[in-house]
Structures are given as C-alpha cells and as structure tokens.
Amino acid sequence: MSNSVLEVEISRDITYRTIDGLSLQADVYRPLGRDPIASVLYLHGGGWVEGGRIDYEQTRAIKLAERGFLVASVQYRFAQDAPFPAQLDDIRAAVAWLRGKRAEFGVVSEKVGAWGSSAGGHLAALLALGNPGTGERPDVDAAVTWFAPLDVGFMTGGTEMEQEMFGPNPVNLLVGGEFDLADPSHQALDPLALVSAAAAPMLLVTGDRDRVIDASVSERMFRALSRARAQVQLYVVAGAGHEDAALETAASLGLVAGFFEAELGTNAPLTR
C-alpha cells in the first residue's frame, strides 16, 4: 500500500443513534485529496465504564485516516448506565450508520472494519465474530483488536483474595450480576465462546509485558480462530504494556492500515 500521508478533515459531535433520550455521537476523520478506501469504526477502551471517543485520536484515528480510510470514533453506553447487550447494540447501530453514509462520505468500498483497544477491542471482536449459537453473522468485514479482553470467562476467575485486591470485575457490571459462562446471554459477550469459521478476518495485537490483559489472552484467541479455520493474524510487540506508546509505531500502524486495505479494499475478496 502507499505510504503517502493525507490531510485529514475532522467532523465532530455527529449523532449516529438516539436511544432512551440519549444522543450517541461520533467524530469522523476523513482523508482529503482522495475518496476514502473504506470505512473503519474505532472503539475506545476504558473497561466498559469510562473513556471517550477522542482518546488517542492523534496516534490512532487520525493516523489511519492519513492512510486513506474514513474513520468514525464513536461513543457507546457504559456498563454502569446500561447492561450488555446495550454496548453491542450501539456499535451495531454505528456500523449500520456508516454503511448508510457511504455515498455521502464518498467511500469507495462497501466494506466496513472495526478497530478497538482494550474494552473497545473486545467490542470490535464481537462485531467480527457474530454469534454462532443464534445464527447471527458478523457485522463487519474485518477487525483489529489491541490488547483486548477476548477471554471473558478467564477474566472473571480468581481467588477471594485476588478479587479483594483488584476490586469488582467490570464484566460483572456488564451483565448486572455474576458472570456465568453457562448462561447463553453471558456467552454472547465472551469472544472466545463465539469463535467459528464464519468469523470475519481478524488481526490481534498485544504486548508481551501487558499486566492488565496478558498477552496469553490474544494468543488463546489466535489458536481458537486458527483451529476453526478462520482468518487470523497475531502480532506481539516485545516490551509493550497496556495502552503502551510502544505499540503506536510506524510499523504497528502500518500493519493495521495494510490489514484493512487487504481486507476492505476494492480488490479484497467479496464479503462472504
């Protein structure tokens, strides 16, 4: 792909969904001087309870837009305000909104990707996986996860002492009680439980010094997707921790842009 850097136009505070009297908003980053290759939804982190759509915009959303993509960084409801699947409903609505705005934004490809960090990476994975148990197909055509909690069942474990030391698990806040992997409604938020051959292509990025979401989580997801014969790549950054600037190198961002160009560009395989 081209390494040329384009100027970026930013449109802020665009309402993409209104639900229960709340207007959910997006910031849109559009490259100037060419039609965008494809649309990518960016989802911020924050443990499903905090964070904002401008987080890391200079080093992520803007950088991807500079490489020719239309990027929409969106707000979604937090767990303390609305339990799961509210967050998934919101980002699915954002994907549908992006698809509907394709002509207005001048986007070349009809395909849509998702990119998220930490909790946002978890949500991006849900968009890429669909739900084999209910027959739901993936909502996006490709996804990138950065240091994401992809094995929610593992996250909810731990001894009483560990739970006392680290506090309440945000996953329990998401479900409004104790997470139970035997509950189908809870399985719907566990990416590892949703793996199938129908998954959209995924790029999993993590750091080998992440002490918040251990690299082994992305590695388990990689093995599960590989066994299912889904398209998946794993990129482990040596010496990088959680939300580490070491991941925001030209090499890492070039990998993300190259992955999306290959999977979403007009010469990419047709949507399955």
Side-chain angles (χ1 to χ4, degrees):
M1 67 176 292
S2 171
N3 290 319
S4 60
V5 174
L6 303 169
E7 291 187 36
V8 175
E9 175 185 70
I10 305 175
S11 300
R12 298 200 185 276
D13 304 328
I14 303 172
T15 298
Y16 75 87
R17 186 188 196 201
T18 301
I19 180 76
D20 296 333
L22 175 66
S23 294
L24 299 176
Q25 297 185 322
D27 292 336
V28 174
Y29 307 82
R30 187 180 186 280
L32 298 176
R34 63 160 294 171
D35 290 334
I37 298 167
S39 300
V40 175
L41 188 70
Y42 181 77
L43 301 164
H44 67 80
W48 307 284
V49 297
E50 61 183 3
R53 61 186 187 275
I54 65 169
D55 293 354
Y56 301 95
E57 72 170 5
Q58 292 291 332
T59 53
R60 297 179 193 173
I62 290 176
K63 290 297 182 184
L64 187 58
E66 287 177 347
R67 302 293 285 269
F69 293 87
L70 181 99
V71 182
S73 181
V74 302
Q75 170 190 10
Y76 53 87
R77 284 174 288 173
F78 291 141
Q80 65 268 36
D81 302 317
F84 186 85
Q87 299 72 30
L88 183 56
D89 291 342
D90 292 343
I91 61 175
R92 280 176 167 167
V95 171
W97 176 79
L98 268 180
R99 293 191 192 278
K101 291 287 187 179
R102 177 189 168 202
E104 179 181 330
F105 291 136
V107 179
V108 175
S109 175
E110 64 184 16
K111 294 176 181 255
V112 175
W115 177 18
S117 67
S118 198
H122 162 266
L123 296 175
L126 295 184
L127 290 175
L129 292 164
N131 190 328
T134 59
E136 296 175 24
R137 302 287 296 177
D139 295 276
V140 295
D141 300 283
V144 176
T145 69
W146 274 21
F147 37 86
L150 301 172
D151 184 353
V152 175
F154 176 79
M155 284 182 61
T156 56
T159 65
E160 291 184 8
M161 178 177 290
E162 288 171 333
Q163 293 174 23
E164 182 178 343
M165 289 174 62
F166 296 112
N169 194 304
V171 176
N172 293 335
L173 192 58
L174 264 181
V175 299
E178 289 293 321
F179 178 81
D180 180 5
L181 194 53
D183 184 332
S185 67
H186 292 190
Q187 290 174 17
L189 67 82
D190 186 9
L192 197 63
L194 302 175
V195 167
S196 77
M202 297 179 68
L203 169 62
L204 316 178
V205 179
T206 187
D208 70 352
R209 296 190 66 181
D210 195 327
R211 299 297 180 260
V212 178
I213 305 294
D214 194 88
S216 62
V217 172
S218 290
E219 291 166 354
R220 281 197 295 279
M221 188 67 171
F222 173 78
R223 290 193 296 270
L225 286 164
S226 297
R227 287 193 297 267
R229 299 295 188 264
Q231 295 182 49
V232 62
Q233 301 175 46
L234 174 66
Y235 184 56
V236 181
V237 181
H242 201 73
E243 291 288 14
D244 196 324
L247 285 107
E248 295 170 329
T249 63
S252 296
L253 294 165
L255 185 68
V256 171
F259 171 79
F260 279 134
E261 185 169 77
E263 300 298 342
L264 305 179
T266 53
N267 295 323
L270 295 175
T271 304
R272 293 161 297 158

